[in-house]
Amino acid sequence: MKLPWMSRADRRRWRSARTVADLGELMARWLEGAIASRPGYQPRFGPDEETAHLVPTLAALCRTGYVTTCSQPGFAGTGADGLWWEQRAAVELVVTDHTRLPRLLGAARAAGMLVRVNDHRRGGVRDEPVVVTTRDGEPVTAFGGRIGRADMAIQWTGLDRGLYDQVAHGTYVSIAAPEYGPAGERLWGVLDFLTGLRREEPDDPWTRSAG
């Protein structure tokens, strides 16, 4: 049986992080299964099984200064409830180094992705959410949108105060494929090229036309 709280060792790991690079490394290690728990997620549980194939992409993003907070693969099919579900491949992440933003946003937009930005600095951009999951054609889940103070505290509970202030005032970016289903999995190739996980640009007509 898994205990419903984070271990002391894991709490110390997260509290000891002082920089966004530290945070990104811990998030990458959680994704890879080296750490049992992370802030804002059910203790002693790793990523959902459906996202297992995304781990290399997400870990590389975290180690490159783009700390991921949520993701899902592209999917279309009958769910456990017998109804038709469709998902856009999508990821949410936080960027605190604003010199990194242009390359991320440029790569995503050049590939035709749907991009939503929420800058938590005073007077920053606040885009509306984008629907990423439907159930029998009805919206179920959206990525993006303003994160409230209470939700931010839950998402990053246990962090050093200085580091918390950085991520709480960072820029939150949601990127989703325009297509529902497996075709939208091209998103991960775009992000892999951004982080250097792959050396050749994805074979994508959007990317080629943007070049």
Side-chain angles (χ1 to χ4, degrees), residues 117-131:
V117 174
N118 273 273
D119 188 337
H120 283 257
R121 295 174 300 174
R122 186 182 298 275
V125 176
R126 300 182 184 181
D127 289 340
E128 293 298 315
V130 57
V131 173

Side-chain angles (χ1 to χ4, degrees), residues 73-147:
F75 170 80
T78 303
D81 57 4
L83 299 178
W84 186 256
W85 289 74
E86 292 186 319
Q87 289 185 175
R88 287 179 163 127
V91 64
E92 289 187 330
L93 38 81
V94 58
V95 186
T96 60
D97 179 354
H98 290 83
T99 66
R100 296 181 181 274
L101 269 177
R103 188 160 180 255
L104 173 67
L105 300 181
R109 288 168 174 156
M113 300 296 161
L114 305 176
V115 179
R116 299 292 185 271
V117 174
N118 273 273
D119 188 337
H120 283 257
R121 295 174 300 174
R122 186 182 298 275
V125 176
R126 300 182 184 181
D127 289 340
E128 293 298 315
V130 57
V131 173
V132 295
T133 305
T134 63
R135 176 175 177 262
D136 265 11
E138 295 296 322
V140 172
T141 306
F143 276 18
R146 189 76 175 167
I147 304 172

Side-chain angles (χ1 to χ4, degrees), residues 51-70:
T51 61
H53 68 290
L54 308 183
V55 165
T57 296
L58 301 176
L61 284 166
C62 288
R63 290 184 170 118
T64 314
Y66 305 108
V67 180
T68 65
T69 59
C70 189

